[in-house]
mmCIF file with all atom_site columns, all heavy atoms in Angstrom:
data_model
loop_
_atom_site.group_PDB
_atom_site.id
_atom_site.type_symbol
_atom_site.label_atom_id
_atom_site.label_alt_id
_atom_site.label_comp_id
_atom_site.label_asym_id
_atom_site.label_entity_id
_atom_site.label_seq_id
_atom_site.pdbx_PDB_ins_code
_atom_site.Cartn_x
_atom_site.Cartn_y
_atom_site.Cartn_z
_atom_site.occupancy
_atom_site.B_iso_or_equiv
_atom_site.pdbx_formal_charge
_atom_site.auth_seq_id
_atom_site.auth_comp_id
_atom_site.auth_asym_id
_atom_site.auth_atom_id
_atom_site.pdbx_PDB_model_num
ATOM 1   N N   . LEU A 1 1  ? 78.650  102.956 79.796 1.00 0.00 ? 230 LEU A N   1
ATOM 2   C CA  . LEU A 1 1  ? 79.001  101.706 80.443 1.00 0.00 ? 230 LEU A CA  1
ATOM 3   C C   . LEU A 1 1  ? 79.647  100.748 79.456 1.00 0.00 ? 230 LEU A C   1
ATOM 4   O O   . LEU A 1 1  ? 80.714  100.177 79.702 1.00 0.00 ? 230 LEU A O   1
ATOM 5   C CB  . LEU A 1 1  ? 77.758  101.063 81.033 1.00 0.00 ? 230 LEU A CB  1
ATOM 6   C CG  . LEU A 1 1  ? 77.900  99.666  81.622 1.00 0.00 ? 230 LEU A CG  1
ATOM 7   C CD1 . LEU A 1 1  ? 78.889  99.676  82.754 1.00 0.00 ? 230 LEU A CD1 1
ATOM 8   C CD2 . LEU A 1 1  ? 76.532  99.153  82.054 1.00 0.00 ? 230 LEU A CD2 1
ATOM 9   N N   . VAL A 1 2  ? 79.046  100.636 78.248 1.00 0.00 ? 231 VAL A N   1
ATOM 10  C CA  . VAL A 1 2  ? 79.615  99.752  77.224 1.00 0.00 ? 231 VAL A CA  1
ATOM 11  C C   . VAL A 1 2  ? 80.968  100.214 76.803 1.00 0.00 ? 231 VAL A C   1
ATOM 12  O O   . VAL A 1 2  ? 81.913  99.402  76.645 1.00 0.00 ? 231 VAL A O   1
ATOM 13  C CB  . VAL A 1 2  ? 78.659  99.653  76.026 1.00 0.00 ? 231 VAL A CB  1
ATOM 14  C CG1 . VAL A 1 2  ? 79.316  98.943  74.845 1.00 0.00 ? 231 VAL A CG1 1
ATOM 15  C CG2 . VAL A 1 2  ? 77.358  98.915  76.417 1.00 0.00 ? 231 VAL A CG2 1
ATOM 16  N N   . ARG A 1 3  ? 81.172  101.513 76.634 1.00 0.00 ? 232 ARG A N   1
ATOM 17  C CA  . ARG A 1 3  ? 82.452  102.040 76.247 1.00 0.00 ? 232 ARG A CA  1
ATOM 18  C C   . ARG A 1 3  ? 83.515  101.796 77.298 1.00 0.00 ? 232 ARG A C   1
ATOM 19  O O   . ARG A 1 3  ? 84.665  101.467 77.013 1.00 0.00 ? 232 ARG A O   1
ATOM 20  C CB  . ARG A 1 3  ? 82.347  103.544 75.953 1.00 0.00 ? 232 ARG A CB  1
ATOM 21  C CG  . ARG A 1 3  ? 81.620  103.861 74.686 1.00 0.00 ? 232 ARG A CG  1
ATOM 22  C CD  . ARG A 1 3  ? 81.997  105.258 74.162 1.00 0.00 ? 232 ARG A CD  1
ATOM 23  N NE  . ARG A 1 3  ? 81.644  106.305 75.130 1.00 0.00 ? 232 ARG A NE  1
ATOM 24  C CZ  . ARG A 1 3  ? 80.456  106.861 75.240 1.00 0.00 ? 232 ARG A CZ  1
ATOM 25  N NH1 . ARG A 1 3  ? 79.447  106.470 74.420 1.00 0.00 ? 232 ARG A NH1 1
ATOM 26  N NH2 . ARG A 1 3  ? 80.219  107.814 76.114 1.00 0.00 ? 232 ARG A NH2 1
ATOM 27  N N   . LEU A 1 4  ? 83.123  101.912 78.551 1.00 0.00 ? 233 LEU A N   1
ATOM 28  C CA  . LEU A 1 4  ? 84.079  101.688 79.636 1.00 0.00 ? 233 LEU A CA  1
ATOM 29  C C   . LEU A 1 4  ? 84.549  100.243 79.663 1.00 0.00 ? 233 LEU A C   1
ATOM 30  O O   . LEU A 1 4  ? 85.738  99.954  79.729 1.00 0.00 ? 233 LEU A O   1
ATOM 31  C CB  . LEU A 1 4  ? 83.454  102.032 80.984 1.00 0.00 ? 233 LEU A CB  1
ATOM 32  C CG  . LEU A 1 4  ? 84.353  101.820 82.202 1.00 0.00 ? 233 LEU A CG  1
ATOM 33  C CD1 . LEU A 1 4  ? 85.391  102.932 82.309 1.00 0.00 ? 233 LEU A CD1 1
ATOM 34  C CD2 . LEU A 1 4  ? 83.552  101.758 83.510 1.00 0.00 ? 233 LEU A CD2 1
ATOM 35  N N   . VAL A 1 5  ? 83.587  99.298  79.581 1.00 0.00 ? 234 VAL A N   1
ATOM 36  C CA  . VAL A 1 5  ? 83.925  97.896  79.651 1.00 0.00 ? 234 VAL A CA  1
ATOM 37  C C   . VAL A 1 5  ? 84.728  97.462  78.424 1.00 0.00 ? 234 VAL A C   1
ATOM 38  O O   . VAL A 1 5  ? 85.665  96.706  78.497 1.00 0.00 ? 234 VAL A O   1
ATOM 39  C CB  . VAL A 1 5  ? 82.662  97.021  79.822 1.00 0.00 ? 234 VAL A CB  1
ATOM 40  C CG1 . VAL A 1 5  ? 83.031  95.556  79.844 1.00 0.00 ? 234 VAL A CG1 1
ATOM 41  C CG2 . VAL A 1 5  ? 81.886  97.405  81.071 1.00 0.00 ? 234 VAL A CG2 1
ATOM 42  N N   . ALA A 1 6  ? 84.346  98.015  77.264 1.00 0.00 ? 235 ALA A N   1
ATOM 43  C CA  . ALA A 1 6  ? 85.017  97.646  76.005 1.00 0.00 ? 235 ALA A CA  1
ATOM 44  C C   . ALA A 1 6  ? 86.400  98.295  75.859 1.00 0.00 ? 235 ALA A C   1
ATOM 45  O O   . ALA A 1 6  ? 87.173  97.901  74.999 1.00 0.00 ? 235 ALA A O   1
ATOM 46  C CB  . ALA A 1 6  ? 84.143  98.014  74.826 1.00 0.00 ? 235 ALA A CB  1
ATOM 47  N N   . GLY A 1 7  ? 86.656  99.303  76.654 1.00 0.00 ? 236 GLY A N   1
ATOM 48  C CA  . GLY A 1 7  ? 87.975  99.943  76.587 1.00 0.00 ? 236 GLY A CA  1
ATOM 49  C C   . GLY A 1 7  ? 87.967  101.126 75.631 1.00 0.00 ? 236 GLY A C   1
ATOM 50  O O   . GLY A 1 7  ? 89.070  101.628 75.318 1.00 0.00 ? 236 GLY A O   1
ATOM 51  N N   . ASP A 1 8  ? 86.798  101.570 75.159 1.00 0.00 ? 237 ASP A N   1
ATOM 52  C CA  . ASP A 1 8  ? 86.741  102.740 74.288 1.00 0.00 ? 237 ASP A CA  1
ATOM 53  C C   . ASP A 1 8  ? 86.908  103.992 75.139 1.00 0.00 ? 237 ASP A C   1
ATOM 54  O O   . ASP A 1 8  ? 86.510  104.037 76.305 1.00 0.00 ? 237 ASP A O   1
ATOM 55  C CB  . ASP A 1 8  ? 85.390  102.813 73.573 1.00 0.00 ? 237 ASP A CB  1
ATOM 56  C CG  . ASP A 1 8  ? 85.210  101.615 72.643 1.00 0.00 ? 237 ASP A CG  1
ATOM 57  O OD1 . ASP A 1 8  ? 86.243  101.038 72.224 1.00 0.00 ? 237 ASP A OD1 1
ATOM 58  O OD2 . ASP A 1 8  ? 84.072  101.279 72.348 1.00 0.00 ? 237 ASP A OD2 1
ATOM 59  N N   . GLN A 1 9  ? 87.465  105.044 74.549 1.00 0.00 ? 238 GLN A N   1
ATOM 60  C CA  . GLN A 1 9  ? 87.739  106.280 75.277 1.00 0.00 ? 238 GLN A CA  1
ATOM 61  C C   . GLN A 1 9  ? 86.425  106.954 75.624 1.00 0.00 ? 238 GLN A C   1
ATOM 62  O O   . GLN A 1 9  ? 85.532  107.081 74.805 1.00 0.00 ? 238 GLN A O   1
ATOM 63  C CB  . GLN A 1 9  ? 88.592  107.222 74.437 1.00 0.00 ? 238 GLN A CB  1
ATOM 64  C CG  . GLN A 1 9  ? 88.991  108.473 75.207 1.00 0.00 ? 238 GLN A CG  1
ATOM 65  C CD  . GLN A 1 9  ? 89.935  109.342 74.392 1.00 0.00 ? 238 GLN A CD  1
ATOM 66  O OE1 . GLN A 1 9  ? 90.168  109.090 73.207 1.00 0.00 ? 238 GLN A OE1 1
ATOM 67  N NE2 . GLN A 1 9  ? 90.484  110.391 75.032 1.00 0.00 ? 238 GLN A NE2 1
ATOM 68  N N   . LEU A 1 10 ? 86.301  107.379 76.888 1.00 0.00 ? 239 LEU A N   1
ATOM 69  C CA  . LEU A 1 10 ? 85.145  108.156 77.295 1.00 0.00 ? 239 LEU A CA  1
ATOM 70  C C   . LEU A 1 10 ? 85.339  109.599 76.866 1.00 0.00 ? 239 LEU A C   1
ATOM 71  O O   . LEU A 1 10 ? 86.431  110.040 76.602 1.00 0.00 ? 239 LEU A O   1
ATOM 72  C CB  . LEU A 1 10 ? 84.988  108.093 78.826 1.00 0.00 ? 239 LEU A CB  1
ATOM 73  C CG  . LEU A 1 10 ? 84.824  106.690 79.418 1.00 0.00 ? 239 LEU A CG  1
ATOM 74  C CD1 . LEU A 1 10 ? 84.730  106.780 80.943 1.00 0.00 ? 239 LEU A CD1 1
ATOM 75  C CD2 . LEU A 1 10 ? 83.572  106.022 78.858 1.00 0.00 ? 239 LEU A CD2 1
ATOM 76  N N   . GLU A 1 11 ? 84.232  110.358 76.817 1.00 0.00 ? 240 GLU A N   1
ATOM 77  C CA  . GLU A 1 11 ? 84.357  111.743 76.408 1.00 0.00 ? 240 GLU A CA  1
ATOM 78  C C   . GLU A 1 11 ? 85.248  112.490 77.347 1.00 0.00 ? 240 GLU A C   1
ATOM 79  O O   . GLU A 1 11 ? 85.273  112.258 78.545 1.00 0.00 ? 240 GLU A O   1
ATOM 80  C CB  . GLU A 1 11 ? 82.987  112.413 76.299 1.00 0.00 ? 240 GLU A CB  1
ATOM 81  C CG  . GLU A 1 11 ? 82.213  112.436 77.622 1.00 0.00 ? 240 GLU A CG  1
ATOM 82  C CD  . GLU A 1 11 ? 81.237  111.274 77.705 1.00 0.00 ? 240 GLU A CD  1
ATOM 83  O OE1 . GLU A 1 11 ? 81.502  110.251 77.064 1.00 0.00 ? 240 GLU A OE1 1
ATOM 84  O OE2 . GLU A 1 11 ? 80.227  111.407 78.424 1.00 0.00 ? 240 GLU A OE2 1
ATOM 85  N N   . GLU A 1 12 ? 85.956  113.487 76.814 1.00 0.00 ? 241 GLU A N   1
ATOM 86  C CA  . GLU A 1 12 ? 86.906  114.248 77.600 1.00 0.00 ? 241 GLU A CA  1
ATOM 87  C C   . GLU A 1 12 ? 86.151  115.267 78.481 1.00 0.00 ? 241 GLU A C   1
ATOM 88  O O   . GLU A 1 12 ? 85.214  115.873 78.077 1.00 0.00 ? 241 GLU A O   1
ATOM 89  C CB  . GLU A 1 12 ? 87.848  115.053 76.689 1.00 0.00 ? 241 GLU A CB  1
ATOM 90  C CG  . GLU A 1 12 ? 88.765  114.133 75.872 1.00 0.00 ? 241 GLU A CG  1
ATOM 91  C CD  . GLU A 1 12 ? 89.840  113.501 76.737 1.00 0.00 ? 241 GLU A CD  1
ATOM 92  O OE1 . GLU A 1 12 ? 90.339  114.196 77.638 1.00 0.00 ? 241 GLU A OE1 1
ATOM 93  O OE2 . GLU A 1 12 ? 90.186  112.332 76.486 1.00 0.00 ? 241 GLU A OE2 1
ATOM 94  N N   . ALA A 1 13 ? 86.631  115.389 79.741 1.00 0.00 ? 242 ALA A N   1
ATOM 95  C CA  . ALA A 1 13 ? 86.107  116.433 80.608 1.00 0.00 ? 242 ALA A CA  1
ATOM 96  C C   . ALA A 1 13 ? 86.799  117.742 80.238 1.00 0.00 ? 242 ALA A C   1
ATOM 97  O O   . ALA A 1 13 ? 87.878  117.735 79.675 1.00 0.00 ? 242 ALA A O   1
ATOM 98  C CB  . ALA A 1 13 ? 86.401  116.064 82.054 1.00 0.00 ? 242 ALA A CB  1
ATOM 99  N N   . PRO A 1 14 ? 86.202  118.899 80.584 1.00 0.00 ? 243 PRO A N   1
ATOM 100 C CA  . PRO A 1 14 ? 86.792  120.148 80.221 1.00 0.00 ? 243 PRO A CA  1
ATOM 101 C C   . PRO A 1 14 ? 88.197  120.357 80.729 1.00 0.00 ? 243 PRO A C   1
ATOM 102 O O   . PRO A 1 14 ? 89.059  120.969 80.109 1.00 0.00 ? 243 PRO A O   1
ATOM 103 C CB  . PRO A 1 14 ? 85.867  121.180 80.843 1.00 0.00 ? 243 PRO A CB  1
ATOM 104 C CG  . PRO A 1 14 ? 84.572  120.490 80.993 1.00 0.00 ? 243 PRO A CG  1
ATOM 105 C CD  . PRO A 1 14 ? 84.910  119.032 81.232 1.00 0.00 ? 243 PRO A CD  1
ATOM 106 N N   . THR A 1 15 ? 88.516  119.768 81.919 1.00 0.00 ? 244 THR A N   1
ATOM 107 C CA  . THR A 1 15 ? 89.851  119.961 82.482 1.00 0.00 ? 244 THR A CA  1
ATOM 108 C C   . THR A 1 15 ? 90.652  118.683 82.461 1.00 0.00 ? 244 THR A C   1
ATOM 109 O O   . THR A 1 15 ? 91.716  118.616 81.869 1.00 0.00 ? 244 THR A O   1
ATOM 110 C CB  . THR A 1 15 ? 89.759  120.458 83.949 1.00 0.00 ? 244 THR A CB  1
ATOM 111 O OG1 . THR A 1 15 ? 88.919  119.560 84.675 1.00 0.00 ? 244 THR A OG1 1
ATOM 112 C CG2 . THR A 1 15 ? 89.143  121.831 83.996 1.00 0.00 ? 244 THR A CG2 1
ATOM 113 N N   . ALA A 1 16 ? 90.145  117.635 83.110 1.00 0.00 ? 245 ALA A N   1
ATOM 114 C CA  . ALA A 1 16 ? 90.885  116.384 83.140 1.00 0.00 ? 245 ALA A CA  1
ATOM 115 C C   . ALA A 1 16 ? 90.027  115.251 82.651 1.00 0.00 ? 245 ALA A C   1
ATOM 116 O O   . ALA A 1 16 ? 88.993  115.041 83.150 1.00 0.00 ? 245 ALA A O   1
ATOM 117 C CB  . ALA A 1 16 ? 91.311  116.119 84.564 1.00 0.00 ? 245 ALA A CB  1
ATOM 118 N N   . ALA A 1 17 ? 90.508  114.507 81.678 1.00 0.00 ? 246 ALA A N   1
ATOM 119 C CA  . ALA A 1 17 ? 89.664  113.505 81.110 1.00 0.00 ? 246 ALA A CA  1
ATOM 120 C C   . ALA A 1 17 ? 89.691  112.249 81.911 1.00 0.00 ? 246 ALA A C   1
ATOM 121 O O   . ALA A 1 17 ? 90.686  111.839 82.369 1.00 0.00 ? 246 ALA A O   1
ATOM 122 C CB  . ALA A 1 17 ? 90.159  113.187 79.735 1.00 0.00 ? 246 ALA A CB  1
ATOM 123 N N   . GLY A 1 18 ? 88.572  111.678 81.947 1.00 0.00 ? 247 GLY A N   1
ATOM 124 C CA  . GLY A 1 18 ? 88.217  110.468 82.522 1.00 0.00 ? 247 GLY A CA  1
ATOM 125 C C   . GLY A 1 18 ? 89.049  109.701 83.410 1.00 0.00 ? 247 GLY A C   1
ATOM 126 O O   . GLY A 1 18 ? 88.985  108.650 83.330 1.00 0.00 ? 247 GLY A O   1
ATOM 127 N N   . SER A 1 19 ? 89.745  109.919 84.336 1.00 0.00 ? 248 SER A N   1
ATOM 128 C CA  . SER A 1 19 ? 90.436  108.977 85.197 1.00 0.00 ? 248 SER A CA  1
ATOM 129 C C   . SER A 1 19 ? 91.585  109.075 86.148 1.00 0.00 ? 248 SER A C   1
ATOM 130 O O   . SER A 1 19 ? 92.268  109.997 86.106 1.00 0.00 ? 248 SER A O   1
ATOM 131 C CB  . SER A 1 19 ? 90.859  108.730 84.581 1.00 0.00 ? 248 SER A CB  1
ATOM 132 O OG  . SER A 1 19 ? 90.909  110.311 84.934 1.00 0.00 ? 248 SER A OG  1
ATOM 133 N N   . PRO A 1 20 ? 91.719  107.992 87.068 1.00 0.00 ? 249 PRO A N   1
ATOM 134 C CA  . PRO A 1 20 ? 92.776  108.120 88.033 1.00 0.00 ? 249 PRO A CA  1
ATOM 135 C C   . PRO A 1 20 ? 94.055  107.772 87.500 1.00 0.00 ? 249 PRO A C   1
ATOM 136 O O   . PRO A 1 20 ? 94.174  107.489 86.372 1.00 0.00 ? 249 PRO A O   1
ATOM 137 C CB  . PRO A 1 20 ? 92.362  107.198 89.132 1.00 0.00 ? 249 PRO A CB  1
ATOM 138 C CG  . PRO A 1 20 ? 91.481  106.293 88.552 1.00 0.00 ? 249 PRO A CG  1
ATOM 139 C CD  . PRO A 1 20 ? 90.966  106.871 87.320 1.00 0.00 ? 249 PRO A CD  1
ATOM 140 N N   . ALA A 1 21 ? 94.975  107.847 88.427 1.00 0.00 ? 250 ALA A N   1
ATOM 141 C CA  . ALA A 1 21 ? 96.306  107.486 88.007 1.00 0.00 ? 250 ALA A CA  1
ATOM 142 C C   . ALA A 1 21 ? 96.882  106.568 89.047 1.00 0.00 ? 250 ALA A C   1
ATOM 143 O O   . ALA A 1 21 ? 96.620  106.710 90.226 1.00 0.00 ? 250 ALA A O   1
ATOM 144 C CB  . ALA A 1 21 ? 97.138  108.719 87.937 1.00 0.00 ? 250 ALA A CB  1
ATOM 145 N N   . THR A 1 22 ? 97.664  105.616 88.581 1.00 0.00 ? 251 THR A N   1
ATOM 146 C CA  . THR A 1 22 ? 98.327  104.731 89.551 1.00 0.00 ? 251 THR A CA  1
ATOM 147 C C   . THR A 1 22 ? 99.824  104.905 89.387 1.00 0.00 ? 251 THR A C   1
ATOM 148 O O   . THR A 1 22 ? 100.320 104.883 88.258 1.00 0.00 ? 251 THR A O   1
ATOM 149 C CB  . THR A 1 22 ? 97.949  103.257 89.317 1.00 0.00 ? 251 THR A CB  1
ATOM 150 O OG1 . THR A 1 22 ? 98.297  102.923 87.979 1.00 0.00 ? 251 THR A OG1 1
ATOM 151 C CG2 . THR A 1 22 ? 96.480  103.042 89.540 1.00 0.00 ? 251 THR A CG2 1
ATOM 152 N N   . GLY A 1 23 ? 100.483 105.066 90.496 1.00 0.00 ? 252 GLY A N   1
ATOM 153 C CA  . GLY A 1 23 ? 101.941 105.260 90.423 1.00 0.00 ? 252 GLY A CA  1
ATOM 154 C C   . GLY A 1 23 ? 102.681 103.977 90.640 1.00 0.00 ? 252 GLY A C   1
ATOM 155 O O   . GLY A 1 23 ? 102.102 102.942 90.945 1.00 0.00 ? 252 GLY A O   1
ATOM 156 N N   . PRO A 1 24 ? 103.985 103.988 90.446 1.00 0.00 ? 253 PRO A N   1
ATOM 157 C CA  . PRO A 1 24 ? 104.760 102.795 90.614 1.00 0.00 ? 253 PRO A CA  1
ATOM 158 C C   . PRO A 1 24 ? 104.685 102.183 91.995 1.00 0.00 ? 253 PRO A C   1
ATOM 159 O O   . PRO A 1 24 ? 104.917 101.025 92.205 1.00 0.00 ? 253 PRO A O   1
ATOM 160 C CB  . PRO A 1 24 ? 106.169 103.239 90.303 1.00 0.00 ? 253 PRO A CB  1
ATOM 161 C CG  . PRO A 1 24 ? 106.111 104.662 89.883 1.00 0.00 ? 253 PRO A CG  1
ATOM 162 C CD  . PRO A 1 24 ? 104.723 105.143 90.101 1.00 0.00 ? 253 PRO A CD  1
#
């Protein structure tokens, strides 16, 4: 939680690391 709020990178998942994507 602290890493997320602070903007630190979360640990990588085996396939896709931590997150969504927003398009234009």
